């Protein structure tokens, strides 16, 4: 474990400032940043101006916004991870086989992070790509990954998540969501019917490491106008399970690394 003298506190604070920019807060003043991070105004100002100087933020004299340069941080990490490289050929083949979009993600707290994707057509209003995040509790990949955790750990993540409904079909109580997580644990797959976005249905299964634990999830996403919810399992579960079994024989890195 590192000594306190080895820790660069300003680096940690700078990363916190970068993480504070979200779809809900894409542009922030110094006062805004101070409120979101809890840093005093002077600290928030120095950190924001430092990011601006390094090219990671734009500044119009009042508001700061992140620049595309920030993508280098995330994309560099993703490109260095072997799991995306391993799964991409499988995703491409599966997508061609079923004629639908396929994705792989890992669990990060109460969210899933997309690692790889093969898109046949756009079925969501947002443009999903490696690094995109969605709530775990209302996504098929999120539910199979929650199902792979000990029940008490999954429960804690669900209870800590923002359960604000995304559509009229969204489940909004931990009890309801955990019932679906429990079902996914028993079934070995999860189906989502327009809970994350109207018009989107999906089915997912976990991907396992050579040591046994689930390290990621793979899904097939379809348009609700094209595929009925009751047809997801008979049409797509077997192709997903074939990929799952094929990748089980590969030494997948634990936790996606």
């Amino acid at each position: 474990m590192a000594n306190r003298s080895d820790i660069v506190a300003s680096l940690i604070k700078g990363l916190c400032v970068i993480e504070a920019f979200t779809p809900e807060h894409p542009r922030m003043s110094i006062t805004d940043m101070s409120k979101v991070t809890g840093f005093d105004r002077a600290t928030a100002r120095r950190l924001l101006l430092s990011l601006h100087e390094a090219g990671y933020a734009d500044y119009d004299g009042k508001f700061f916004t992140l620049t595309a340069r920030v993508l280098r941080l995330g994309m560099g990490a993703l490109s260095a991870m072997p799991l995306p490289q391993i799964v991409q050929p499988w995703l491409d083949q599966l997508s061609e086989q079923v004629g639908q979009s396929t994705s792989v993600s890992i669990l990060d707290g109460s969210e899933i992070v997309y690692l790889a994707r093969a898109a046949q057509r756009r079925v969501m209003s947002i443009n999903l790509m490696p690094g995109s995040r969605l709530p775990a509790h209302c996504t098929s990949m999120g539910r199979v990954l929650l199902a792979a955790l000990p029940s008490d750990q999954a429960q804690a993540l669900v209870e800590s998540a923002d359960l604000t409904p995304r559509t009229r079909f969204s489940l909004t109580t931990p009890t309801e969501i955990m019932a679906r997580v429990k079902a996914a644990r028993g079934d070995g797959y999860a189906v989502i019917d327009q809970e994350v976005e109207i018009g989107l249905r999906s089915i997912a299964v976990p991907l396992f490491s050579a040591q046994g634990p689930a390290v990621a999830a793979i899904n097939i996403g379809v348009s609700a106008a094209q595929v009925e919810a009751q047809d997801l399992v008979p049409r797509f579960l077997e192709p997903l399970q074939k990929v799952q079994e094929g990748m089980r024989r590969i030494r997948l890195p634990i936790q996606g690394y």
Side-chain angles (χ1 to χ4, degrees):
M1 189 172 183
N3 296 322
R4 295 299 301 174
S5 59
D6 295 324
I7 305 302
V8 182
S10 58
L11 174 60
I12 296 174
K13 290 179 179 179
L15 294 173
C16 288
V17 166
I18 292 175
E19 291 182 349
F21 288 95
T22 66
E24 294 74 28
H25 300 98
R27 58 198 295 265
M28 284 193 279
S29 65
I30 293 171
T31 299
D32 296 332
M33 183 60 69
S34 178
K35 289 179 180 178
V36 170
T37 61
F39 300 149
D40 59 63
R41 278 180 49 85
T43 299
R45 178 178 179 276
R46 288 196 302 271
L47 292 169
L48 285 167
L49 289 175
S50 296
L51 290 175
H52 173 58
E53 177 66 22
Y56 289 105
D58 281 331
Y59 180 42
D60 64 6
K62 181 176 182 181
F63 292 102
F64 291 84
T65 56
L66 293 181
T67 67
R69 187 182 180 90
V70 172
L71 294 176
R72 296 185 184 181
L73 303 177
M75 295 307 295
L78 285 171
S79 64
M81 295 170 63
L83 184 55
Q85 300 168 21
I86 293 171
V87 302
Q88 191 64 58
W90 294 84
L91 280 181
D92 293 339
Q93 183 183 61
L94 177 62
S95 181
E96 287 294 328
Q97 176 188 349
V98 300
Q100 304 290 342
S101 297
T102 61
S103 305
V104 166
S105 70
I106 58 173
L107 189 67
D108 183 19
S110 60
E111 297 179 314
I112 58 169
V113 181
Y114 281 73
L115 294 187
R117 183 165 169 77
Q120 288 285 323
R121 57 182 61 86
R122 188 165 173 176
V123 293
M124 292 190 69
S125 61
I126 60 175
N127 185 24
L128 293 174
M129 62 184 68
S132 295
R133 290 173 174 265
L134 287 175
H137 69 273
C138 61
T139 56
S140 58
M141 290 189 287
R143 285 190 183 162
V144 294
L145 290 170
L146 288 170
L149 299 176
S151 295
D152 57 346
Q153 188 176 346
Q155 178 86 35
L157 286 175
V158 170
E159 290 182 349
S160 69
D162 180 0
L163 303 184
T164 301
R166 296 176 65 99
T167 77
R168 64 180 184 274
F169 299 105
S170 299
L171 303 183
T172 57
T173 69
T175 300
E176 292 176 307
I177 294 165
M178 286 305 299
R180 299 296 178 88
V181 171
K182 182 178 179 180
R185 186 177 294 120
D187 295 335
Y189 65 87
V191 168
I192 293 295
D193 184 7
Q194 304 183 86
E195 290 187 49
V196 69
E197 182 167 311
I198 293 294
L200 173 69
R201 294 182 172 125
S202 66
I203 179 172
V205 299
L207 296 175
F208 301 97
S209 70
Q211 293 83 358
V215 296
I218 182 172
N219 87 335
I220 294 173
V222 304
S223 167
Q226 295 181 331
V227 182
E228 296 296 329
Q230 62 267 25
D231 294 331
L232 286 172
V233 172
R235 285 184 59 176
F236 301 119
L237 181 57
E238 184 177 354
L240 281 170
Q241 289 175 331
K242 286 183 178 179
V243 174
Q244 180 189 55
E245 182 58 31
M247 296 191 66
R248 191 191 295 265
R249 296 191 293 269
I250 300 174
R251 294 185 62 83
L252 290 180
I254 296 176
Q255 297 180 351
Y257 292 89

